[in-house]
Amino acid sequence: MSFVTIPPPPLAIGFANPLLLWGLAAASLPILLHLLNRRRYREESWAAMRFLLAAIRKNQKRIRLEHWLLLTVRTLLVACAALAMAQPYLESTGAVPLLAGRRTHRVLVLDGTMSMSYAAAGRSRFSRAVEYADAYVQGARNGDAISVVLLGAPPRVVIGAPSPNHAEVREELEQLSPSHGKADLEATLSKIREVLDASDLPQKEILFLTDLQEGTWHVDPDRESAVKRAVEALERERANCVVVDLGDEVRSNRAVVDLALDTPVVVRGGPLSVISARLASFGSATEAGVRAQLVVDGRLGPERRVDLPPGQEVPVAFSYRFEDPGDHVVEVRLEEDRLPVDDTRRLAVPVREQLEALLVNGDYDPEPFESETDYLAQALSPSEGSDRSPSPIRVEVATEAQLSRRDLERYDVIFLCNVSRLSRGEVEAIDGFLRLGGGLVVFGGERLQPDEYNGTLFAGIPGSEEFEGPGFLPARLGAVVDSGAETAEQLALAPEFDPIGFEHPIVAIYQGAPAQVMAGLTGVRTWRSHDLRVPEGSTARRALAFTDGRPAVLTMPRHRGMVVQVATTADDDWTTWPLHPSYPPVVEQMALFAASGRMSQRNVAVGQPIDQAMPEGASPASAVIVRPDGREEPGRLVEEGGATRLVFDQTDLAGVYLARLGPPVARELSFAANPDPVESDPSRADSATLSALFPRWTFSSWDGGPVSQTAAATVGRRGELHRGLLLAVLGLVLGESTLAWWIGRRR
C-alpha cells in the first residue's frame, strides 16, 4: 500500500470589504506631492557656490536617504489605512501552520425556540438561520469539521462528533425544524462544551444563529453566575464565539397564554363547565375586535370579540356541557398572525362516566347519622328525593376491616374517616394508588393513633431531624386541641373557619358570595381538632385554617396524586360543619380536587414529558404516539413501584398527541402540549446585558438579504489582519512625526 502526499495549497489573502481596496490609490499621493514639489532651477555660477556645492556633494547621499525614508513611511501609512478598511484575512483550503490556515472545529448553534417560527415576507426566522448556516458550511475550508447543536430546553445535539463531510452537514441542516418550546441557555452552553471536548482540532469557532429574543437571552439573577461560568468554560477552550442576529423589530404579537376549566374533574352530563382563556397582546397599540373562538373536538363553537390593550392579559370565558364520556380536546383559537403557534391553546379533557369514591368508616354505628361516614356519604351522593341536583360522585362505604380487601384502582378518591391505624400492606396499597394519580382525603377523630400515623403515614421533609417520615400525610399529628362544648358559652368560644381569602380551589366557589352565604362556611364552630404540625419547607398548602391560626385543611401532592388532610371529624362529634350548608359543596370540591391528578397528566408544557400512569394488570403490550405533525413514534412503558407508566419525551411541538395502546388494553388517550407564554413576547435582549454576560463575544446582524459563502464563513474568522494593520498605522503616524522632527533638527 502506498500513500500519496499532497502538498498543502498556498496561503491566500481574502478581503471582507474588497471595494475599499481602491483606497490603495491614495498611497500614491505622497509620491505625487514629492514629484510636484521638485523644481528645475537655472544654474548660475558664482564664486561662493563652489563651497556650497562641495558641502552638498558631501551630504547628498544622506539627504537623499532621509527623503526616501520619509516618503516610504508616508506611503505605507496611507496604504495600511486603506488595507485595514478592506479588512483582509488569511485564508487557505488546507492545513497550513498559521493561525488562519489551521483546521477549525466549527460548531453551528441554531436557535430552535418557538419565536424562530415568526415569519415575515413568507420566510420564518428559522429558515433564514438554515440559509445562513448553509452558506457558512459551503464557505468553510475543506479541512474544517462541523458540529450542529439546536438551542432549546433541553438542547439537542444534531451532529456531535465534528464532521468533515460538508455535504452531509448541509443535508442534515435541511431536515431541521424549530421546536415550539423555550430555551435553556445554560444547558446549551454546557452541551457545546461537551461537543468541543470531544474534538482534538486545535482551533474552535462557535456560531450562534438566533433572533436574540429576551426570553432566550435574558438570564435570571439567580442563574447569572452559572451562565457566566459556562461562558468562561468556553473561553478556556479558546473558542471564538460569534452571534448573528436574525431578528427584527416586531410590532405586535397576540397569543392565548392560558386555558383552564373551572372544575378539576369533568363528569358526563354534569353542570356546565366554564372554559376560561387568557389572551395577551405584546404590541405597542391596542388590537380592537380580536376574535376568539371555542373549538371542541374539531367542531367550531361560539366566539367572542375582545379588545387587547398592549402588555395586558384579557380573560374570556365559554360555557360547555360534556355529554359523552371519553377524551375530548378543547381549543381556543385566535386569528393567525405572523407567529401562528401561540394563536391556539389546547386542553385534553378526559370525561368520566362518574367519579368513584370509597369511604372507609373507622367508627361504624348502625343508627342513622351516628356512623362516621353518614354525613359524608349524604353530602357526596344525596339520596333520592333530595332537593339537591344529582351528584357526579358515586359513593361506596367500607369498614376499616374491609379496606385491605378492596381493589383501590377502581376508585378515584379514598376517604379515611377516623381510621385508627393502617397496616403496612394498606399503606403500600394507598401509596401505589397515589402513584396512579388517585386522591386521598384523611379526616381526624378520637380513634386515630397519632404515634402510628406519625410513624407510618407522615411524609415529612427528607433530611429533617424533627420532621421526617416515610408516608404521605402533609402534617404530623400533635395533641388534640379541646376548647370544650359543654355549654353554649364554650361553643361560642370555639374556633371558626378562616377561608384565607378563598384562594384555594376547594373553597374558591365561595369567593364573591354574599355574606349570608359565606356565613355557612365561616360560621362553623370546631371545639376539638388535631394540631396539624407542618414542617418548614413542606409543599403543603392551606385550604382552610382555624381562627386561632392552626391549619384546618391541608393539601399536598404525592406522586401523581393529591392528599387532603382535615384536622377535625367527618361527622358532628367534634364540629358543627356537617350541619352547615357549606359542608356538601366543600367536601364535593375536596373530592374533585383530590382526584384531579389523573386529569393533570393529560396536559403538559412543550418539552415536558408525557407521563401517564396505567392501572396495574392492564399494561399494554405496545404503545404508539401520533405527534401533532402526524409522525408516529413508539412510547415507552416503564414498570415502577408496582405501576406501569407510559412515557414519551418528544413533545417538542405544540398540539395534540394521541397515544394508541395495544392489547390487552386497546384504547386511545389524548394529551395536549402547549407553549410557554414567555416565547410569545417578542421583546429583544438588551445590548448592555449581552455585553455584560458575553464581553468577549462578537455580535453581528443579518437583514435577510443575499449572503455570500465567504461572508458567512468568515464572520468569526480567527486570521483577521485589520487589527494589526491599524496598530501599524498608529506606529507609522508616530514614526513619521518623529522622523520628520529628527531630519529637520539635523538640518
Side-chain angles (χ1 to χ4, degrees):
M1 181 179 293
S2 62
F3 294 91
V4 178
T5 302
I6 301 176
L11 187 68
I13 295 180
F15 296 90
N17 301 313
L19 291 178
L20 293 181
L21 288 174
W22 286 101
L24 288 175
S28 63
L29 289 177
I31 300 174
L32 292 175
L33 292 174
H34 173 73
L35 294 176
L36 290 175
N37 285 332
R38 292 183 61 185
R39 297 182 179 180
R40 295 184 180 274
Y41 299 94
R42 182 169 59 87
E43 295 183 3
E44 188 70 33
S45 298
W46 53 293
M49 279 295 294
R50 66 176 182 270
F51 300 105
L52 182 60
L53 290 173
I56 291 175
R57 290 190 190 99
K58 182 179 179 180
N59 299 315
Q60 186 175 17
K61 291 183 179 180
R62 179 179 59 80
I63 295 172
R64 185 176 298 172
L65 179 61
E66 290 173 349
H67 285 174
W68 280 111
L69 183 59
L70 193 58
L71 179 63
T72 302
V73 169
R74 289 169 176 169
T75 304
L76 285 175
L77 176 61
V78 178
C80 287
L83 285 172
M85 289 188 291
Q87 295 188 8
Y89 56 90
L90 292 175
E91 184 60 59
S92 173
T93 56
V96 179
L98 290 174
L99 180 62
R102 295 165 69 186
R103 294 183 63 201
T104 302
H105 181 191
R106 300 175 181 251
V107 182
L108 267 171
V109 185
L110 281 74
D111 190 339
T113 58
M114 186 187 75
S115 64
M116 292 291 286
S117 298
Y118 185 90
R123 283 196 309 166
S124 70
R125 293 172 179 170
F126 191 82
S127 64
R128 291 167 57 184
V130 171
E131 179 184 345
Y132 195 102
D134 186 74
Y136 180 83
V137 173
Q138 291 187 70
R141 293 182 293 265
N142 291 335
D144 291 347
I146 299 174
S147 298
V148 179
V149 177
L150 207 60
L151 174 62
R156 181 162 67 93
V157 177
V158 181
I159 301 177
S163 173
N165 191 329
H166 296 178
E168 288 186 357
V169 173
R170 294 180 62 197
E171 290 178 3
E172 198 70 43
L173 288 172
E174 291 178 0
Q175 304 300 320
L176 290 180
S177 59
S179 74
H180 296 160
K182 57 182 182 179
D184 187 337
L185 186 59
E186 179 188 348
T188 302
L189 296 177
S190 299
K191 191 66 69 175
I192 295 171
R193 171 72 186 278
E194 295 175 8
V195 171
L196 292 178
D197 287 343
S199 169
D200 58 358
L201 296 182
Q203 192 162 279
K204 300 174 175 63
E205 180 175 286
I206 306 169
L207 178 66
F208 292 84
L209 299 173
T210 175
D211 58 359
L212 285 181
Q213 190 211 25
E214 185 177 12
T216 298
W217 291 91
H218 174 76
V219 179
D220 293 332
D222 57 338
R223 302 302 306 163
E224 186 173 327
S225 59
V227 172
K228 286 184 176 180
R229 286 195 298 269
V231 171
E232 291 170 358
L234 291 181
E235 293 175 351
R236 285 195 296 270
E237 296 281 345
R238 302 182 64 84
N240 185 33
C241 300
V242 182
V243 179
V244 176
D245 180 11
L246 305 177
D248 46 23
E249 295 299 330
V250 180
R251 294 184 178 179
S252 65
N253 180 51
R254 55 178 176 265
V256 185
V257 297
D258 189 38
L259 184 62
L261 287 178
D262 64 333
T263 177
V265 178
V266 181
V267 179
R268 179 185 69 87
L272 284 172
S273 297
V274 178
I275 302 167
S276 302
R278 286 190 288 119
L279 317 179
S281 173
F282 298 96
S284 57
T286 299
E287 296 192 53
V290 175
R291 184 181 66 178
Q293 188 165 38
L294 177 69
V295 180
V296 180
D297 297 329
R299 297 188 296 272
L300 299 179
E303 63 180 48
R304 303 279 188 271
R305 293 277 183 175
V306 295
D307 296 337
L308 298 181
Q312 298 183 23
E313 294 183 0
V314 177
V316 60
F318 302 90
S319 296
Y320 189 84
R321 178 177 281 108
F322 295 91
E323 300 290 354
D324 301 317
D327 286 359
H328 298 266
V329 177
V330 174
E331 304 176 36
V332 171
R333 297 178 183 173
L334 301 178
E335 299 170 273
E336 286 192 358
D337 53 18
R338 292 184 176 181
L339 186 59
V341 178
D342 58 5
D343 294 332
T344 300
R345 204 165 187 87
R346 302 165 182 86
L347 200 63
V349 182
V351 178
R352 304 292 306 277
E353 186 74 43
Q354 205 168 23
L355 202 69
E356 301 288 338
L358 175 64
L359 277 55
V360 182
N361 192 338
D363 187 14
Y364 176 74
D365 192 314
E367 294 297 323
F369 294 101
E370 293 295 332
S371 193
E372 193 73 31
T373 57
D374 288 349
Y375 285 101
L376 186 60
Q378 180 67 20
L380 293 176
S381 184
S383 57
E384 294 185 8
S386 171
D387 56 353
R388 289 177 52 204
S389 59
S391 172
I393 303 173
R394 193 176 74 88
V395 169
E396 182 178 333
V397 179
T399 63
E400 183 176 341
Q402 295 171 334
L403 175 60
S404 59
R405 299 193 295 270
R406 285 290 192 275
D407 179 12
L408 302 185
E409 295 174 4
R410 294 176 39 227
Y411 305 101
D412 298 290
V413 59
I414 299 172
F415 287 81
L416 301 180
C417 304
N418 201 9
V419 174
S420 61
R421 61 183 300 274
L422 297 175
S423 67
R424 180 177 296 274
E426 291 169 338
V427 172
E428 293 176 352
I430 293 176
D431 197 59
F433 172 72
L434 292 169
R435 289 181 184 276
L436 295 176
L440 175 68
V441 181
V442 180
F443 279 91
E446 60 184 8
R447 288 176 51 83
L448 261 66
Q449 300 180 25
D451 292 341
E452 288 285 340
Y453 268 61
N454 293 335
T456 61
L457 300 184
F458 172 58
I461 303 296
S464 171
E465 295 182 359
E466 182 180 1
F467 295 103
E468 186 172 4
F472 37 73
L473 286 184
R476 187 183 185 94
L477 293 178
V480 174
V481 178
D482 192 346
S483 60
E486 300 296 332
T487 64
E489 290 78 7
Q490 289 178 326
L491 181 61
L493 297 176
E496 297 178 315
F497 278 155
D498 176 8
I500 320 175
F502 303 100
E503 294 180 354
H504 198 284
I506 288 178
V507 293
I509 54 175
Y510 278 88
Q511 196 167 35
Q516 61 271 24
V517 175
M518 199 178 299
L521 178 64
T522 58
V524 171
R525 297 284 182 175
T526 302
W527 56 92
R528 296 193 74 189
S529 59
H530 294 283
D531 184 16
L532 302 183
R533 301 173 60 193
V534 182
E536 185 178 353
S538 172
T539 58
R541 181 183 175 190
R542 296 188 181 195
L544 281 171
F546 293 117
T547 49
D548 59 9
R550 293 180 297 110
V553 178
L554 294 171
T555 64
M556 187 180 74
R558 170 73 172 181
H559 303 311
R560 293 168 185 80
M562 186 66 66
V563 179
V564 181
Q565 187 174 8
V566 185
T568 189
T569 57
D571 63 2
D572 60 353
D573 285 349
W574 288 8
T575 178
T576 62
W577 194 17
L579 308 177
H580 281 255
S582 65
Y583 189 71
V586 172
V587 294
E588 181 179 291
Q589 291 300 313
M590 195 179 291
L592 295 175
F593 178 79
S596 63
R598 292 182 174 175
M599 178 179 172
S600 63
Q601 299 176 53
R602 300 296 191 90
N603 297 279
V604 298
V606 169
Q608 177 187 351
I610 292 171
D611 195 341
Q612 172 71 43
M614 307 295 296
E616 185 179 357
S619 303
S622 63
V624 175
I625 310 295
V626 183
R627 290 163 42 92
D629 57 4
R631 198 171 77 233
E632 294 186 359
E633 298 286 348
R636 291 188 296 118
L637 297 169
V638 180
E639 297 285 343
E640 180 182 325
T644 303
R645 294 158 44 215
L646 169 64
V647 179
F648 184 74
D649 53 11
Q650 300 179 39
T651 57
D652 56 318
L653 300 180
V656 177
Y657 292 79
L658 184 64
R660 293 173 177 166
L661 307 179
V665 178
R667 58 187 296 200
E668 291 186 349
L669 302 176
S670 297
F671 301 85
N674 289 296
D676 193 314
V678 72
E679 282 293 310
S680 299
D681 189 346
S683 301
R684 290 162 57 78
D686 179 68
S687 58
T689 302
L690 295 176
S691 299
L693 284 174
F694 316 103
R696 297 178 183 86
W697 289 21
T698 301
F699 287 83
S700 63
S701 61
W702 179 45
D703 60 3
V707 56
S708 68
Q709 299 173 13
T710 302
T714 59
V715 67
R717 55 190 169 274
R718 296 289 294 271
E720 294 177 333
L721 301 178
H722 70 277
R723 291 181 174 86
L725 288 170
L726 289 174
L727 291 175
V729 168
L730 179 60
L732 288 170
V733 168
L734 296 175
E736 190 273 343
S737 301
T738 304
L739 186 61
W741 170 80
W742 180 74
I743 291 173
R745 184 179 180 185
R746 282 178 57 87
R747 291 180 182 176

